[in-house]
Structures are given as C-alpha cells and as structure tokens.
C-alpha cells in the first residue's frame, strides 16, 4: 500500500470517529432537553414532528430544610424587633420601635389620700334631762321647791319648745313656777352645797355665778359666806326661795348651750322620768365609720362635706369613739336571724366652723370625704403606669429615645388615680409608658 493510500484511510477513520461522537452528543442533548420542565420535544432525525404530545412538566418542590431555615430567620427577626420575650422583670433597655400604647409624665405634686363615706348632718347625739329623784319629797332638804300652800305634789308649770336654745342661766323648765336654770360644767349637783363645802362641784358653781355677773366671793373650790350671799341674790332672780344653799335638782348641768330636741313631759304633770332631750346648738356631722378606715381619722383630720344641694363645706374631726358592732338590718321583722351579719363601726363626729355655709338644713344625709393623709412635693404617675415584676414589686417603663427601660420603683400613697413612686432614675418630667 502506498503512502497516499494509508493517509486516505486514516482520514476516513478520523472522520467516522468524529461523526460518531457528534451523533452521541446530539442524542445526549435531546435527552437533556426532554428532561427539562417545559421543554419542547426534540425533532425526529427524519425532520418530522413527534407522533404524541409530551407529558406535562412536574412542579419542583422546595426542600423542607430550606423552609425551616427561612422560618427560623423570621422568628429571630421578630424577637429582635420587639425586644425581649420577658415583661416587667427585664431591667435593661431594649429597642421599641412601636413603643407603649400610651405615655405619661412623672409629675412632682401634692397627693392627698381621701375616702368618701356616708354621714348625717344634725345636732349630734341627744341626751335626756331627767327629773331629780327628790321631786315630790318634803321641803327643807335643799331639794326642789314645794307648793307654798302645803305638801302637795310638785307640778311642771313651764317647758321650752322643741328647737329652742338654752344658754347658761336660762330656764330649762319650771316647777311650781320656780325656774330650774342651766349651768355649764361636767359635774352634776349631787349634794347640798353650803358654807364650809369644798370640792370641784363648788368650783363649778362659783365659776357659773361669776360668769352670770354675781360678785363678793373668790371663784375657787371653797364655799364661803360670800358665796352664800351670791347664791341668795341668784335665787331671788330665779324666783326661788332664798336659802343660800344649792341642792340636787335646783339646776341642770351640761357642757354648754343646749338645743331642745324633744319635749317629753307635759304641763300640769308631776316631774318624773325624762322631761326632755337636748343636744348641742351647732350642727355637726356624724359618721358610723367602718373599722377598715380607722387609720383615716384622728382628732383634727380635715374633711369636705357635700350637702344635698351639691354645695360643700369644710369640717374637722372632733370625736372618734371606740369600735361598736352595728347589726345590719334585714327583713321587716327587726330581729336578727341566723342569716344576719354585723359590721364593726367607729362613731365619728365632725364639727363645722362656718355654720352659715350649711344653709337651712337642720338634718340631712351628706357625703363626707375624709382627707386622711397629705404628702407634698412627691413624684407621681397614673396607677396604670405600674408594671408588675417577675421577681416581685413594681416597675415603670422609662421611654427614652425610642427605647424602653424598666425601672424598679417603691410605692407611696395612692390618691385620685395617682400613685407616689421613688427609685433610681425616677425624676420629674420622665416619660413613662402606660401599658394598659
């Protein structure tokens, strides 16, 4: 074989190899094209279209692991945007793009703790005036005057009217046309006072005589001849027998001027039992205070009294009694059955200095607002601004530059929807969140 023939054979072999590799590559491309979603079927080698429609492409699904990774990323992003998962116990600043729903400002102000309770306007507790036990007994013992015509019974000849005011020296009532006067004091006449008597009851009598304008004695605790002369002058002015001595029943003793509440005796009758009831002359307010509010009242506690017409007047606590048990009423029978209940109360009396502000009210239900405690220049926020801490106690949300910091606080008094707070970082003008 010549050199030219070998060369031609080699060329033909190389050409055939290249042709086979080209055909194999074409078949591989057609197979890949058929596997790709949405690919059109490859043309047949003869140039004709495929004899059948291709199968619809299948949807490719994202792997589950990828979805979980995306979900975790979203959760982390959410926590970063809203701050910590905790509540009031987190005391470090955290970003708060949205912030609390509302805010308030820490104010420096005066807080007064108050409590409103029901009360009754009137003239206070009434007390009875009782006829002396010696009434109707024989004269000569220093007791009440007797009928001049004989030893007959004593008769009531004068009585005051309900609502009348009786002052020192004024007549409480009259027996056999002889007046029984009022004296100011705390010791009743329990014995016959005469020259030589000594004691607090003597001092009480002499002070009253001096106040009524009688002289000639020294107002001390010794009953002297000068005292007896002053007594005779006083008895003459009263229309009584001038004995110079003063016995039980010849005067009625009370702490001050009295207002007649109810007259119980009748003219022309023998003075026995209760003749009348009376009270103080100034209108006051009485409260049956529930014992749970006992710490709110003391001597001198101020209060505001709201009258039925809406006007208000200031009052002062003057008396605080001891706890008493007041049975709650139930049913029409008035008795207390097994289902009855009772509440312990304190009787409290409040005086009103400006009586004119009470108008014409003689008795009326009123509302009493006790001003129990006043704190000046304290820092206060609305009660709603408090946040309970996990570890106990309370905090407020300090809002600064778009961030919220929980500051622990110590609480003081509550008053009018506000609460006194103190603690590190708490200053007047601080903006705090109101989470609810």
């Amino acid at each position: 074989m010549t050199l030219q023939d070998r060369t031609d054979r080699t060329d033909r072999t190389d050409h055939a190899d290249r042709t086979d590799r080209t055909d194999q590559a074409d078949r591989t491309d057609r197979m890949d094209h058929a596997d790709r979603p949405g690919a059109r079927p490859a043309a047949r080698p003869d140039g004709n279209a495929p004899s059948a429609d291709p199968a619809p492409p299948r949807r490719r699904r994202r792997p589950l692991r990828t979805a979980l990774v995306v979900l975790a990323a979203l959760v982390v992003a959410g926590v970063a945007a809203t701050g910590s998962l905790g509540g009031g116990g987190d005391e470090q600043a955290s970003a708060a793009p949205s912030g609390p729903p509302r805010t308030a400002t820490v104010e420096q102000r005066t807080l007064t703790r108050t409590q409103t309770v029901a009360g009754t306007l009137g003239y206070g507790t009434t007390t009875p005036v009782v006829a002396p036990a010696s009434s109707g007994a024989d004269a000569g013992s220093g007791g009440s005057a007797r009928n001049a015509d004989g030893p007959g019974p004593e008769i009531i000849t004068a009585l005051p009217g309900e609502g009348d005011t009786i002052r020192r020296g004024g007549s409480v009532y009259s027996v056999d046309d002889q007046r029984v006067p009022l004296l100011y004091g705390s010791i009743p006449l329990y014995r016959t006072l005469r020259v030589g008597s000594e004691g607090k009851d003597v001092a009480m009598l002499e002070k009253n005589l001096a106040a009524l304008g009688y002289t000639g004695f020294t107002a001390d605790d010794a009953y002297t001849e000068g005292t007896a002369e002053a007594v005779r002058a006083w008895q003459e002015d009263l229309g009584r027998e001038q004995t110079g001595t003063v016995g039980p029943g010849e005067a009625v003793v009370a702490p001050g001027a009295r207002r007649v509440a109810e007259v119980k005796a009748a003219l022309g009758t023998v003075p026995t039992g209760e003749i009348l009831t009376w009270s103080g002359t100034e209108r006051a307010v009485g409260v049956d205070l529930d014992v749970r509010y006992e710490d709110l009242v003391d001597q001198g506690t101020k209060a505001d009294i709201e009258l039925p017409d809406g006007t208000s007047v200031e009052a002062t606590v003057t008396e605080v009694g001891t706890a008493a048990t007041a049975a709650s009423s139930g049913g029409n029978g008035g008795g207390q059955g097994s289902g009855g209940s009772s509440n312990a109360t304190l009787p409290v009396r409040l005086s009103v200095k400006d009586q004119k502000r009470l108008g014409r009210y003689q008795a009326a239900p009123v509302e009493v607002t006790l001003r129990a405690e006043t704190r000046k220049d304290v820092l206060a926020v609305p009660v709603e601004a408090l946040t309970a801490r996990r570890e106990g106690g309370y905090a407020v949300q300090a809002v600064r530059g778009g961030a919220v910091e929980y500051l622990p606080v110590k609480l003081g008094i509550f008053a009018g929807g506000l609460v006194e707070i103190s603690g590190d970082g708490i200053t007047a003008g601080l903006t705090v969140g109101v989470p609810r």
Side-chain angles (χ1 to χ4, degrees):
M1 180 181 295
T2 64
L3 178 61
Q4 181 64 41
D5 292 336
R6 286 196 298 270
T7 300
D8 291 339
R9 179 181 293 177
T10 301
D11 290 340
R12 286 193 299 270
T13 301
D14 291 339
H15 178 74
D17 291 339
R18 286 194 300 272
T19 300
D20 291 339
R21 287 194 298 270
T22 299
D23 292 340
Q24 183 176 1
D26 289 342
R27 285 193 302 270
T28 301
D29 289 342
R30 284 193 299 270
M31 291 176 66
D32 289 342
H33 180 78
D35 289 339
R36 286 195 299 270
R40 291 184 177 183
R44 293 173 55 179
D46 57 5
N48 295 327
S51 60
D53 293 334
R58 291 182 300 172
R59 169 181 278 175
R60 299 180 64 190
R61 295 184 179 178
R62 181 174 297 176
L64 177 60
R65 182 171 57 186
T66 302
L68 293 176
V69 171
V70 173
L71 178 60
L74 291 175
V75 171
V76 172
V79 171
T82 59
S84 67
L85 293 174
D90 185 4
E91 299 176 7
Q92 296 184 357
S94 59
S98 60
R102 291 190 297 123
T103 60
T105 302
V106 177
E107 297 182 2
Q108 185 172 6
R109 56 183 300 162
T110 297
L111 290 183
T112 300
R113 181 187 175 198
T114 63
Q115 180 65 45
T116 300
V117 296
T120 302
L121 174 67
Y123 286 91
T125 303
T126 60
T127 56
V129 175
V130 180
S134 60
S135 291
D138 288 341
S141 62
S144 298
R146 293 292 307 278
N147 189 312
D149 294 334
E154 298 170 344
I155 300 298
I156 297 176
T157 55
L159 288 167
E162 293 183 358
D164 287 354
T165 298
I166 304 173
R167 294 181 171 82
R168 189 196 323 253
S171 177
V172 180
Y173 60 97
S174 295
V175 175
D176 294 345
D177 207 26
Q178 296 185 26
R179 290 184 289 161
V180 179
L182 171 65
L183 300 180
Y184 292 174
S186 58
I187 301 176
L189 294 172
Y190 65 93
R191 61 175 176 161
T192 298
L193 300 179
R194 54 175 56 94
V195 176
S197 298
E198 294 182 358
K200 293 181 180 179
D201 51 350
V202 174
M204 180 274 296
L205 174 63
E206 291 184 339
K207 288 179 181 178
N208 277 276
L209 291 173
L212 292 170
Y214 298 96
T215 60
F217 61 93
T218 300
D220 54 17
D221 61 356
Y223 200 110
T224 64
E225 286 292 345
T227 306
E229 286 298 321
V231 168
R232 292 187 183 96
W234 176 50
Q235 289 172 332
E236 182 180 7
D237 292 339
L238 291 173
R240 300 181 67 89
E241 184 180 357
Q242 301 169 35
T243 63
T245 62
V246 179
E250 293 192 36
V252 180
V253 179
R258 302 283 91 182
R259 177 184 181 273
V260 178
E262 181 181 4
V263 176
K264 296 193 172 184
L267 294 175
T269 62
V270 175
T272 58
E274 290 187 8
I275 295 176
L276 56 85
T277 60
W278 59 13
S279 65
T281 59
E282 289 190 345
R283 287 166 290 180
V285 175
V287 174
D288 288 329
L289 187 67
D290 194 303
V291 291
R292 61 179 168 166
Y293 300 133
E294 183 176 3
D295 64 324
L296 301 181
V297 293
D298 204 347
Q299 294 280 347
T301 298
K302 300 296 182 182
D304 295 309
I305 310 299
E306 184 177 343
L307 301 173
D309 62 2
T311 59
S312 181
V313 61
E314 186 178 72
T316 303
V317 174
T318 55
E319 297 178 19
V320 179
T322 56
T325 300
S328 62
S329 60
N332 297 326
Q336 184 173 345
S338 60
S341 61
S342 62
N343 296 316
T345 61
L346 295 173
V348 177
R349 178 181 171 86
L350 301 96
S351 65
V352 179
K353 184 177 181 180
D354 191 353
Q355 293 281 302
K356 292 183 179 179
R357 292 287 301 275
L358 296 174
R360 296 185 176 182
Y361 291 109
Q362 302 296 305
V366 296
E367 286 191 352
V368 181
T369 301
L370 299 166
R371 296 184 231 149
E373 181 182 4
T374 298
R375 299 285 298 275
K376 296 182 178 180
D377 299 327
V378 299
L379 299 177
V381 295
V383 175
E384 294 83 359
L386 296 178
T387 300
R389 305 175 64 205
R390 283 199 208 73
E391 55 269 41
Y394 293 89
V396 293
Q397 300 176 350
V399 181
R400 298 188 182 99
V404 173
E405 181 180 4
Y406 287 86
L407 301 179
V409 293
K410 181 179 179 181
L411 307 185
I413 68 171
F414 291 75
L418 301 175
V419 57
E420 175 190 358
I421 62 171
S422 60
D424 293 340
I426 304 300
T427 59
L430 175 67
T431 299
V432 297
V434 181
R436 57 184 185 280

